[in-house]
Amino acid sequence: AYTLDTVHAEDPVEMVRAMTESGNLSNVHYSDHVGVDDERVEELKEKYPGNDEQLLPWEERPDTYTHLPPGEGDEDFEAVLSELDDRGYEGPLTMELHERFKTLEAYEAAGETMEEAGYPLG
């Protein structure tokens, strides 16, 4: 079975297509990302105080801060979720956050993003 990790996929919508066509997509692991040189990084540091080492890029996606709360970066969750719907996916959606973002504010921001996309957290 496959787990789609949206933050590590070049094109998550295309990955949804490939994994559902094989019939083996069993989980969607979602989070957001933003480039290290993006102006939003300073806003994120203010909004979510903490150890800056917790923002270091993962090797799988160089020069990118990963595992941000959905809605805080560049991921197009509406497109990914729409594709999952179109393909009849009924499995779990699992949010993955770096330690710095495990706050009530982050969960509320993620909830708003998912609700706007038609997927309220529950």
Side-chain angles (χ1 to χ4, degrees), residues 24-35:
N24 294 323
L25 180 60
S26 65
N27 185 36
V28 177
H29 210 180
Y30 69 98
S31 60
D32 220 330
H33 57 88
V34 66

Side-chain angles (χ1 to χ4, degrees), residues 80-92:
V80 172
L81 296 169
S82 177
E83 190 66 29
L84 288 167
D85 267 352
D86 291 349
R87 301 209 168 249
Y89 177 74
E90 295 181 357

Side-chain angles (χ1 to χ4, degrees), residues 34-45:
V34 66
V36 294
D37 58 355
D38 191 293
E39 62 191 35
R40 293 174 288 178
V41 170
E42 290 307 314
E43 293 172 16
L44 287 168
K45 287 179 180 181

Side-chain angles (χ1 to χ4, degrees), residues 10 34-36 57-66:
E10 285 270 333
V34 66
V36 294
W58 281 40
E59 290 181 23
E60 293 95 340
R61 199 168 186 127
D63 300 320
T64 305
Y65 293 129
T66 59

Side-chain angles (χ1 to χ4, degrees), residues 68-84:
L68 308 176
E72 297 285 13
D74 295 328
E75 196 66 66
D76 184 353
F77 290 103
E78 194 165 333
V80 172
L81 296 169
S82 177
E83 190 66 29
L84 288 167

